[in-house]
Amino acid sequence: MLAGIAPLFGATEFVRPAIDWHAAAPELTLLGFGALITMIDIGWLERARRIAAPLTSLALLVTLVPIITLALDGNDRSMFHGGFVVDDYSLIMKATFVLAGYVVVLMSTNYIAEGDYWENEYYGLLLSSILGMILMASARDLISIFVALELLSIPAYMLATWRKRDLKSNEAGLKYYLMGVFASAVMLYGMSLLYGASGSTLLVDINDAISVATTLDAVVVIGIIFVVVGFAFKVSAFPFHTWAPDTYEGSPTPVTAFISVASKAAGFVALLNLLFVGFLGRDDIFEPLMWALAAASMTAGNLMALRQTNIVRLLAYSGVAQAGYMLAPLAVAGTVPDKALTASVTYLVIYAAMNLGAFAVVIAVARKTRSAKISDYRGLFHYAPGLTVAMTIFLFSLAGIPPLGGWLAKFRVMEAVIEADTASGLVLGIFVAVNSVIALYYYARIGFGMWAEDAPDGDLTPVNVPLSLGVALTLTALITIAMGVVPGDVVGRFTEVSLLAGG
Amino acid sequence: METIADTNWLLTVVVFAPLVGALIMVLIPQEDEQSHKQVALFTSLVTLGLAAFLLIDFNYGDAENLQYFVDTQWIEVIGAGYTIGVDGMSLPLIALTALIMPLVFVYSWNHIPEPGNAKAFLILSLILETGMIGTFVAQDLVLFFVFFEVVLLPMFFMIAVWGGENRRYASLKFFLFTLFGSALMLLSFLALYFLTEADTFSMLVLTENAGEGITRGTQLLVFAGMFLGFGVKVPMFPFHTWLPDAHTEAPTQGSVILAAVLLKLGTYGFIRIAIPMLPEAAEAWAPWIGLLAVIGIIYGALGCLAQTDMKRLIAFSSVAHMGFVMLGIATLTDFGINAAIFGMVAHGLITGMLFFIAGSVKERYHTLEIKRLGGMLAQAPRLGWILGFVSMASLGLPGLAGFWGEFPAILAAYNPAAGVSEQTFRVYMVVAAVGTVLAAGYLLWLLQRTAMGEPSAEFADDPNITDVSTTEWIAWAPLLFGIVLFGVAPGLIFEVTDPAVTQSLDNCITTLTGCEVAEAAASSGSGGG
């Protein structure tokens, strides 16, 4: 059979492509540690439990090292004919994924150990999911994008069901899985159409092929729409968000944080890669699509969030709205590509910090109240002032109130849509502005409850926040504030879309 | 650009000194309330001291140019600079803010509102101070926006936690209204950035540019966005509805800060940003701003007459007074804008004082319902007389500060800038003049019902009703003094603001030849006292 398809590649002899080991070092490091944790589990069984979390943390921190050396090196690297690219954009996303993963490990440490769940498998799966994400940041080829997507999704499906004696957790995982697989199928179909229209899986080649209108236009249009819709599921954009609230609510909360931040960011990264490298020539197709997705997501997400009584479901719907803000710059990506890219990425990075932080507070509070009801946050200030201040920072950052990080994120989005100087851009800007006000209502309502109302039942026993969770909270809070006050160079390194394409 | 190289750090210190105090207070345990009060008061006094030094050191001969000017990069990727400076327009407002805050802390010495927690309350107040002073010194649109918004969270929590019965509604309404305005304002700032060739947020450059190269239609739109942002904050009719609720529910200190300083952020925005940067649009919008301003004057006054709650009445009187300020601004003349700045300071002193009194009345009578009060002059004569005095100032009695805010604004409406319909503004002038009569009506009626007559049976023998206490005297004396001082010597403010106002309007001469005529006409009467 191999002999049968070999002529298709036009080569009879296999030539090993040059491998830049430095460029692949982050992925390889993570892969090595992931394998190590699995091996240790097989060998040591129960005894391995104690070292699982520290080892995973170590793995992530070590993975940061090659990412930093690559960033310091500053050269853009490209492998496999441009299918795997390391540039500033991919490095900052890799760093975000690794740090987000690290924070999730910190959040999981006590949660998973105290819940008497499987630990080594948990961390092993977490690492392999993160591996898929950092791979995604470099993927510039349909196949590698698909492989990365499955690598990051399949462990996440399993992690969602980790509370296996809980029906809700089972429901969460099953819904996530079915929806995810459905989305993959749609996307794969779209990819096959694009491959058919362009004859290549490399995004750069696809862009070249589809930029000029041909008789295959209908195929290209459907292909792009299907691929985008596939990722719209991943980033939980309206109307493809329906899995999110149930999955978020049922999953173990650290996993929810992981799905809502890292997994969503990975979906966005894939979308950015596709749009900016693969489809940029066809902004006439994707811009209206993105416009509609963005406007619908932010409006519907915010309106649905207004009526939530469960904080996790509220964060799920607010996540839909946030996805809308992040999609907004993509609606003008053809006009101001550089600005649109930086806006989306800035939003992703800041969103990661503030949303993870919010979930960290949810975990901390649930340690005492054993509930995620918004009404149980009343009076939090009276027995947990530190957590209240932290939650206030995260919620109002999500709402975009200066000087917290979220304002810069929203600012950049508005900047991009206004710079486009088109009527549709302006209208989208007004959408963002009005939605900020709607969103503020439900964030501020929680803020009001925490600060100004009395605790239910007058129970004022303090919340016991374990060290690792405390570190996670401090880290995310500091990043959230710093991004709003002194963002410095972090969000300014990559401003050129051309870099994305690689060599 | 005149800069005094050695003291340029001063302004930064003035802005962030309160924040440093707040950070220190974070480290002090909550139980130690006395330390918190001391640190907060000390911090605000240091800030006042620095502001006083600023007042002395300020080069009044050069009041039209920015002094203590600092211009460094802040967020390079979005082109936002840390650009601050102070000129004659902002100096009085900085001084007002720096003065009000220590008084608030003195008042807080034994008036921490329910449910207590001095630590959080005072920390929020200090953050507010940084936000307010920062807004007045910012010379970069992004920096301005950030400071403008920094005040939102502390004020929200101040109303939400320490407010009255209906605080949930009031605090959320305040927050949502203001954010709505400022979100659209931000869009306008961004549009301005991209539409001018300069690609900068620097207010200096944008003011010099004065909307050049932007089509008239776009200017009108951009101005409308700013109008919403600043107009909600002022608040102008019909965006004023958050104000009575916020004032009524806010604790005394919150009301004082809100009335004395926060509302000025909006009017200041008009003078500093909207008008100089988009003079052509300002001219087109002026009749509408003027219309809303006079509606505000009349509506606010009628609203006052209908109120049964003293605090709510004062809140509505704010709507009316800010209407005069906006009318002055809408004339687009040197004379009118000077009057507006004066009106802002005067309103800050007078209405701030009125809210202090309302707080003290509430503390003594446990109610602010006007018909239950009465005979204050008999029971607490000093308190009653102070109320009488401040009411007189508020209704614009010549010789007190309120007069110089209202009267020149009305006068300016007689002769608005060229290009703005004279007839329309003369009608506004007449309506505004009727407004002053109504103001006298509601304030005297308030005085009659609360201070005069016999104490009501309910409170006749209430031992709680004591006269003005020492902390109250300390907190109030500077305000009372200021009301008299600026009433007798209004030139103290007019002479500082006039050069800066003239220069900012001079810019529009280059863009709008029509302005020239009005300039000449208006400058003959400018300068005030």
Side-chain angles (χ1 to χ4, degrees):
Chain A
M1 191 185 159
L2 269 176
I5 58 166
L8 281 178
F9 293 100
T12 46
E13 204 180 321
F14 176 74
V15 182
R16 189 182 144 233
I19 292 181
D20 181 347
W21 294 104
H22 191 185
E27 282 81 1
L28 294 176
T29 317
L30 214 47
L31 181 65
F33 271 102
L36 182 67
I37 285 174
T38 314
M39 290 301 179
I40 289 176
D41 180 43
I42 294 169
W44 290 7
L45 298 174
E46 276 301 293
R47 278 174 300 154
R49 284 186 79 130
R50 269 182 298 118
I51 61 158
L55 193 61
T56 314
S57 303
L58 181 71
L60 291 165
L61 293 179
V62 171
T63 309
L64 268 184
V65 175
I67 296 179
I68 291 169
T69 57
L70 281 167
L72 291 177
D73 178 59
N75 290 325
D76 296 330
R77 294 151 188 272
S78 161
M79 276 193 279
F80 310 124
H81 310 291
F84 182 96
V85 171
V86 174
D87 55 16
D88 281 340
Y89 153 78
S90 70
L91 286 175
I92 202 151
M93 287 320 301
K94 283 179 197 205
T96 308
F97 290 134
V98 169
L99 279 175
Y102 178 66
V103 172
V104 169
V105 172
L106 288 175
M107 286 156 66
S108 309
T109 309
N110 290 71
Y111 189 99
I112 299 296
E114 287 165 18
D116 199 27
Y117 304 115
W118 298 106
E119 279 189 74
N120 292 48
E121 290 84 346
Y122 177 88
Y123 292 111
L125 287 172
L126 200 62
L127 281 185
S128 88
S129 190
I130 297 169
L131 174 61
M133 292 169 185
I134 63 172
L135 189 60
M136 184 69 94
S138 285
R140 303 287 188 277
D141 175 282
L142 290 182
I143 308 266
S144 52
I145 285 178
F146 183 71
V147 169
L149 179 73
E150 295 304 304
L151 188 55
L152 76 91
S153 297
I154 294 171
Y157 300 148
M158 289 190 270
L159 290 174
T161 59
W162 219 246
R163 287 158 48 192
K164 64 179 175 184
R165 288 172 214 90
D166 184 340
L167 277 179
K168 278 205 161 169
S169 187
N170 286 306
E171 181 195 346
L174 191 63
K175 265 198 179 143
Y176 189 26
Y177 170 69
L178 288 176
M179 290 296 197
V181 172
F182 176 61
S184 290
V186 172
M187 185 190 65
L188 216 44
Y189 185 47
M191 284 182 171
S192 71
L193 291 176
L194 288 172
Y195 175 68
S198 64
S200 169
T201 57
L202 268 182
L203 296 184
V204 185
D205 295 347
I206 293 177
N207 193 34
D208 291 343
I210 65 174
S211 288
V212 278
T214 60
T215 47
L216 288 171
D217 247 15
V219 175
V220 172
V221 171
I222 297 175
I224 290 178
I225 291 177
F226 277 18
V227 171
V228 167
V229 163
F231 284 104
F233 273 97
K234 206 78 219 161
V235 303
S236 70
F238 183 87
F240 310 106
H241 67 283
T242 46
W243 58 273
D246 293 331
T247 301
Y248 284 19
E249 188 187 358
S251 305
T253 320
V255 175
T256 307
F258 183 68
I259 294 172
S260 81
V261 170
S263 173
K264 177 181 278 195
F268 263 102
V269 166
L271 210 49
L272 294 177
N273 293 347
L274 284 162
L275 293 189
F276 285 105
V277 188
F279 310 154
L280 199 57
R282 294 316 296 268
D283 52 357
D284 55 325
I285 302 170
F286 75 76
E287 276 194 352
L289 192 60
M290 286 298 156
W291 197 98
L293 277 178
S297 297
M298 58 180 104
T299 313
N302 278 329
L303 290 180
M304 289 186 288
L306 287 176
R307 295 195 58 83
Q308 299 307 315
T309 55
N310 178 300
I311 189 117
V312 178
R313 292 185 79 87
L314 181 133
L315 285 171
Y317 284 111
S318 105
V320 174
Q322 301 280 340
Y325 303 139
M326 291 182 238
L327 286 166
L330 303 182
V332 292
T335 327
V336 282
D338 295 347
K339 263 295 167 41
L341 177 71
T342 28
S344 277
V345 174
T346 307
Y347 208 116
L348 275 176
V349 172
I350 294 172
Y351 170 78
M354 57 196 184
N355 218 40
L356 279 176
F359 276 110
V361 177
V362 170
I363 294 172
V365 172
R367 287 174 67 84
K368 179 193 165 182
T369 62
R370 299 275 149 224
S371 109
K373 282 215 275 296
I374 292 174
S375 54
D376 285 334
Y377 280 75
R378 283 176 304 173
L380 190 68
F381 183 64
H382 299 301
Y383 58 89
L387 280 178
T388 310
V389 171
M391 190 61 158
T392 308
I393 290 173
F394 299 130
L395 290 179
F396 287 103
S397 179
L398 283 165
I401 306 291
L404 306 166
W407 83 266
L408 185 66
K410 280 223 177 75
F411 183 94
R412 303 233 65 184
V413 168
M414 287 190 173
E415 193 188 4
V417 295
I418 295 292
E419 186 175 7
D421 200 17
T422 55
S424 65
L426 180 67
V427 172
L428 202 53
I430 294 174
F431 260 96
V432 174
V434 172
N435 267 293
S436 308
V437 182
I438 303 176
L440 180 70
Y441 178 73
Y442 56 80
Y443 294 128
R445 213 179 42 175
I446 304 174
F448 181 88
M450 291 191 301
W451 284 74
E453 288 183 74
D454 290 326
D457 318 328
D459 178 7
L460 292 183
T461 46
V463 178
N464 159 29
V465 180
L467 178 67
S468 58
L469 196 54
V471 173
L473 276 167
T474 319
L475 205 62
T476 45
L478 285 179
I479 294 176
T480 303
I481 295 174
M483 290 303 272
V485 184
V486 279
D489 206 23
V490 179
V491 292
R493 274 191 75 102
F494 48 90
T495 44
E496 298 278 329
V497 166
S498 53
L499 294 179
L500 238 68
Chain B
M1 180 55 41
E2 173 86 14
T3 53
I4 302 166
D6 293 337
T7 48
N8 281 10
W9 51 268
L10 182 65
L11 216 47
T12 304
V13 178
V14 173
V15 174
F16 291 105
L19 208 57
V20 174
L23 287 177
I24 294 170
M25 285 167 68
V26 170
L27 304 175
I28 303 174
Q30 194 186 323
E31 293 72 33
D32 196 358
E33 291 213 348
Q34 211 53 34
S35 306
H36 284 292
K37 289 173 186 167
Q38 284 160 2
V39 174
L41 181 61
F42 178 74
T43 310
S44 67
L45 284 175
V46 168
T47 313
L48 177 63
L50 290 165
F53 180 75
L54 198 70
L55 279 176
I56 296 164
D57 193 50
F58 187 81
N59 180 0
Y60 290 94
D62 194 31
E64 66 268 35
N65 285 322
L66 290 169
Q67 302 181 23
Y68 308 98
F69 189 71
V70 177
D71 186 11
T72 48
Q73 283 293 334
W74 174 39
I75 305 179
E76 220 161 320
V77 279
I78 55 174
Y82 178 73
T83 316
I84 56 172
V86 55
D87 65 5
M89 266 197 253
S90 40
L91 189 69
L93 296 165
I94 296 169
L96 175 71
T97 313
L99 173 72
I100 291 285
M101 293 312 290
L103 306 184
V104 164
F105 292 126
V106 169
Y107 189 81
S108 303
W109 204 262
N110 45 18
H111 293 94
I112 293 290
E114 286 297 311
N117 196 344
K119 177 178 180 173
F121 185 77
L122 298 173
I123 287 180
L124 289 175
S125 307
L126 286 172
I127 297 175
L128 263 175
E129 185 171 8
T130 287
M132 294 184 298
I133 299 182
T135 311
F136 292 133
V137 301
Q139 300 297 336
D140 178 281
L141 286 181
V142 178
L143 193 66
F144 176 90
F145 170 76
V146 169
F147 278 126
F148 192 80
E149 300 282 279
V150 161
V151 299
L152 285 186
L153 265 184
M155 202 58 196
F156 166 69
F157 283 119
M158 206 174 255
I159 301 173
V161 180
W162 291 273
E165 287 288 286
N166 207 4
R167 56 185 198 270
R168 180 193 169 103
Y169 174 76
S171 58
L172 284 172
K173 194 172 178 184
F174 158 76
F175 209 167
L176 293 173
F177 265 67
T178 336
L179 190 82
F180 175 74
S182 52
L184 293 174
M185 178 184 86
L186 181 61
L187 283 180
S188 289
F189 286 179
L190 284 164
L192 210 55
Y193 176 90
F194 291 118
L195 291 171
T196 51
E197 295 298 312
D199 274 9
T200 175
F201 285 113
S202 159
M203 291 192 194
L204 269 176
V205 179
L206 289 169
T207 305
E208 264 162 40
N209 191 62
E212 211 172 325
I214 310 177
T215 60
R216 186 180 161 83
T218 318
Q219 275 207 30
L220 289 179
L221 261 180
V222 174
F223 192 92
M226 293 187 188
F227 175 77
L228 277 174
F230 299 135
V232 168
K233 199 91 170 184
V234 171
M236 294 193 73
F237 180 89
F239 313 114
H240 66 281
T241 62
W242 63 268
L243 185 79
D245 289 314
H247 267 314
T248 315
E249 301 305 327
T252 303
Q253 291 91 329
S255 289
V256 171
I257 297 174
L258 198 57
V261 189
L262 233 54
L263 304 186
K264 276 74 196 178
L265 302 184
T267 39
Y268 176 76
F270 275 106
I271 298 174
R272 169 70 71 188
I273 295 173
I275 292 172
M277 288 182 195
L278 295 165
E280 199 180 337
E283 197 188 274
W285 279 100
W288 301 102
I289 299 176
L291 177 68
L292 293 178
V294 290
I295 292 180
I297 294 172
I298 298 298
Y299 183 91
L302 292 178
C304 283
L305 287 171
Q307 296 312 313
T308 55
D309 180 288
M310 188 170 156
K311 219 173 169 188
R312 223 177 152 79
L313 188 151
I314 302 170
F316 267 101
S317 82
S318 278
V319 176
H321 281 125
M322 294 314 274
F324 284 107
V325 173
M326 285 313 299
L327 181 65
I329 293 174
T331 62
L332 301 180
T333 57
D334 174 30
F335 200 47
I337 292 178
N338 274 318
I341 300 178
F342 198 102
M344 283 150 75
V345 177
H347 176 262
L349 297 172
I350 295 169
T351 310
M353 190 59 223
L354 279 174
F355 277 114
F356 267 136
I357 297 173
S360 291
V361 169
K362 170 100 182 181
E363 191 194 31
R364 288 168 171 79
Y365 292 84
H366 303 289
T367 181
L368 283 167
E369 218 177 311
I370 296 171
K371 67 171 181 242
R372 287 175 62 194
L373 302 170
M376 210 186 294
L377 280 170
Q379 275 184 303
R382 292 190 184 86
L383 187 64
W385 278 117
I386 292 176
L387 175 64
F389 172 78
V390 183
S391 300
M392 294 300 156
S394 183
L395 66 82
L397 193 73
L400 298 176
F403 175 74
W404 297 107
E406 272 175 29
F407 178 68
I410 298 174
L411 208 58
Y414 182 75
N415 198 359
V420 181
S421 161
E422 209 165 71
Q423 270 144 349
T424 317
F425 268 83
R426 286 189 182 164
V427 173
Y428 294 164
M429 185 185 88
V430 174
V431 179
V434 173
T436 60
V437 179
L438 289 173
Y442 63 75
L443 283 161
L444 292 174
W445 195 27
L446 170 75
L447 196 61
Q448 188 209 351
R449 284 180 294 172
T450 56
M452 309 200 172
E454 288 300 309
S456 60
E458 189 184 354
F459 297 113
D461 303 311
D462 196 327
N464 271 330
I465 297 166
T466 52
D467 218 335
V468 183
S469 70
T470 318
T471 42
E472 284 166 345
W473 271 125
I474 301 174
W476 296 355
L479 292 176
L480 299 171
F481 177 71
I483 294 171
V484 177
L485 177 70
F486 294 120
V488 180
L492 289 177
I493 293 177
F494 279 131
E495 274 158 28
V496 179
T497 58
D498 188 51
V501 172
T502 316
Q503 166 149 321
S504 119
L505 284 172
D506 272 347
N507 273 319
C508 75
I509 294 176
T510 54
T511 23
L512 297 174
T513 41
C515 276
E516 229 161 345
V517 189
E519 268 306 305
S523 58
S524 60
S526 73

